[in-house]
Amino acid sequence: MSSVRYANVTCQYPGAERPSVTDLNLDIADGEFLVLVGPSGCGKSTTLRMLAGLEEVTGGNIYIGDRDVTDVPSRDRDIAMVFQNYALYPHMTVAENMGFALKIAKISPEERRRRVEDAAKILDLTDYLDRKPKALSGGQRQRVAMGRAIVRSPQVFLMDEPLSNLDAKLRVQTRTQIASLTRRLGVTTVYVTHDQVEAMTMGDRVAVLKDGLLMQVDTPRALYDRPATEFVAGFIGSPAMNLFRAPVTTGVGSGATVQLGTVAVPLTRAQQESLTGDRVTVGIRPEDMHPAAEGTGLPIEADVVEELGADAFVYGHLAPVTAANTVVPVDNTTGAEEDPTVHEFIVRVEGRTPPRAGTTVWVAPDLEHVHLFDAATGRRLPD
Ligand code: ADP
Ligand code: MG
């Protein structure tokens, strides 16, 4: 077992115009379960494959423990990788598949058998050791792929979207199993997914990547409560945070504020001083907006009301009322400004008395849970 360190790591593929991963600095503690998350193409697999020794590092260094492995061949890095397509050998039994790497490493048949049986016990595969992969369910095959990694007792597990081929229900079950298993084994794990819910439920910490850049690495709680950038704010959380752009107004005596409909959100002096322009992006999670008296806050026309029992989600859009015209909604993934009459606005309300679809609901934010970002740089303003 070991820690992992990326120090100023860059990967630019031959012929590519720009790096796929740029100047990555990331420390992963011994035994930690770290998730790399971000949209497709943001550089997750490249980051993982550099650690595995499958892609060339074009700048910086990677360490496993104290050892600089930047130029060490993959087979000498003492890592085990689990991919999306489990790539089991169809003609081998489960036991042979699991023990194959040990056979190549010339481990004795007795030792091999012992390790395979131990792993099978942990993974609940004991009764399937003599079967061929085609006689297994998707979830069982996935566990065999895990078993292949476990038997090697590596320093680090590397997993690249290992659950993508499973159906939704099995994915939820298996993600809990994987997280608890790697913790029980105490093996440092780097896990890649594009699914932020998977990231939040599995990771000790989660590293959010965008366009090859590390946006933030933090505990799931901290990512949720204090997203460092507008992108992280919009990416983490389900349903997603509502984002708007609005001008900062400097009132007489009362200091700078941002107007959310009729509600003025005050900016602290530190926030005001760190602004690079005159506009902010305001983020409010669906649970941090509450129904307010008519004429207070923002008017939302409810398009769909999703009743979940304990609570309900109102999916709507800003009603075309002048009071609300100071804010422009922002798309969560692209950061682009959108037409207020079309942009989806989400509010969580009490389940017993939800508004009806087609009606207008006035909502006001919980001021202590409003997130503010510099609209020009996307960076969080100091709290
Ligand atoms: P992710 O796993 O987050 O979807 P990848 O790490 O696979 O992202 O890819 C990051 C970027 O690098 C993408 O723009 C992708 O097109 C590019 N890329 C990935 N592999 C190669 C390659 N072998 N050669 C050139 N470009 C690549
Ligand atoms: Mg990938």
Side-chain angles (χ1 to χ4, degrees):
M1 276 155 272
S2 255
S3 58
V4 169
R5 183 149 71 95
Y6 289 84
N8 306 105
V9 171
T10 293
C11 173
Q12 184 155 2
Y13 288 104
E17 278 184 10
R18 56 188 193 88
S20 292
V21 173
T22 304
D23 200 23
L24 174 67
N25 286 294
L26 182 58
D27 274 299
I28 304 163
D30 187 10
E32 184 172 27
F33 195 109
L34 182 107
V35 180
L36 294 172
V37 72
S40 175
C42 70
K44 304 179 295 292
S45 294
T46 303
T47 301
L48 196 73
R49 290 171 60 84
M50 284 192 286
L51 175 54
L54 301 173
E55 301 298 348
E56 200 186 330
V57 174
T58 50
N61 297 78
I62 298 180
Y63 300 85
I64 298 180
D66 295 330
R67 182 173 173 225
D68 184 343
V69 296
T70 314
D71 299 313
V72 172
S74 184
R75 64 175 180 280
D76 298 328
R77 292 192 185 195
D78 200 8
I79 49 116
M81 204 152 168
V82 183
F83 294 97
Q84 171 177 357
N85 56 349
Y86 332 120
L88 301 179
Y89 299 109
H91 58 284
M92 292 185 192
T93 63
V94 166
E96 286 163 347
N97 263 289
M98 281 168 62
F100 187 67
L102 302 180
K103 191 171 175 182
I104 299 292
K106 303 215 165 52
I107 307 275
S108 73
E110 300 75 45
E111 172 73 7
R112 234 152 61 204
R113 174 143 206 91
R114 190 184 63 73
R115 289 213 218 165
V116 167
E117 283 175 359
D118 283 353
K121 214 177 288 169
I122 292 173
L123 292 162
D124 212 6
L125 287 169
T126 307
D127 294 342
Y128 304 93
L129 283 173
D130 296 324
R131 291 207 192 168
K132 298 276 174 63
K134 69 172 184 311
L136 300 179
S137 69
Q140 289 165 336
R141 282 182 212 162
Q142 207 285 333
R143 299 215 296 279
V144 177
M146 282 292 297
R148 259 193 328 201
I150 290 176
V151 295
R152 297 171 58 188
S153 350
Q155 302 275 352
V156 188
F157 287 137
L158 306 182
M159 305 191 188
D160 195 346
E161 313 232 8
L163 305 182
S164 313
N165 287 347
L166 304 182
D167 65 50
K169 187 163 168 232
L170 200 53
R171 219 159 46 216
V172 171
Q173 282 171 10
T174 315
R175 78 185 184 209
T176 335
Q177 286 167 357
I178 289 182
S180 68
L181 177 62
T182 59
R183 285 195 181 104
R184 188 143 44 99
L185 297 170
V187 179
T188 311
T189 303
V190 187
Y191 185 102
V192 163
T193 178
H194 64 273
D195 179 344
Q196 61 89 19
V197 175
E198 207 168 287
M200 295 290 275
T201 51
M202 295 180 83
D204 291 321
R205 284 187 310 153
V206 176
V208 184
L209 294 174
K210 180 187 181 240
D211 300 334
L213 295 170
L214 179 63
M215 295 279 109
Q216 185 172 5
V217 54
D218 240 319
T219 60
R221 172 52 53 194
L223 283 179
Y224 194 81
D225 287 343
R226 291 179 40 85
T229 68
E230 186 184 311
F231 174 78
V232 174
F235 186 73
I236 297 289
S238 173
M241 190 187 281
N242 299 296
L243 295 171
F244 318 88
R245 297 233 166 85
V248 174
T249 44
T250 328
V252 193
S254 58
T257 54
V258 181
Q259 205 66 30
L260 281 182
T262 66
V263 175
V265 180
L267 268 71
T268 62
R269 179 166 289 271
Q271 289 175 333
Q272 208 183 328
E273 279 166 359
S274 72
L275 261 183
T276 64
D278 55 3
R279 296 202 328 144
V280 289
T281 302
V282 182
I284 308 169
R285 294 204 180 276
E287 68 269 30
D288 296 327
M289 304 227 58
H290 302 292
E294 191 169 336
T296 307
L298 292 166
I300 308 296
E301 275 178 11
D303 298 316
V304 174
V305 178
E306 194 179 74
E307 296 196 41
L308 300 171
D311 45 30
F313 286 101
V314 177
Y315 295 84
H317 59 271
L318 275 177
V321 170
T322 44
N325 285 353
T326 51
V327 298
V328 182
V330 174
D331 182 87
N332 281 75
T333 30
T334 62
E337 296 186 1
E338 291 203 319
D339 179 351
T341 59
V342 180
H343 178 85
E344 186 171 76
F345 197 109
I346 310 171
V347 181
R348 192 180 77 184
V349 294
E350 224 271 303
R352 295 216 160 78
T353 52
R356 282 201 314 281
T359 58
T360 297
V361 201
W362 286 81
V363 292
D366 239 348
L367 283 182
E368 69 264 40
H369 291 127
V370 170
H371 304 262
L372 294 173
F373 306 92
D374 187 311
T377 64
R379 303 211 64 81
R380 184 183 190 84
L381 296 179
D383 289 337

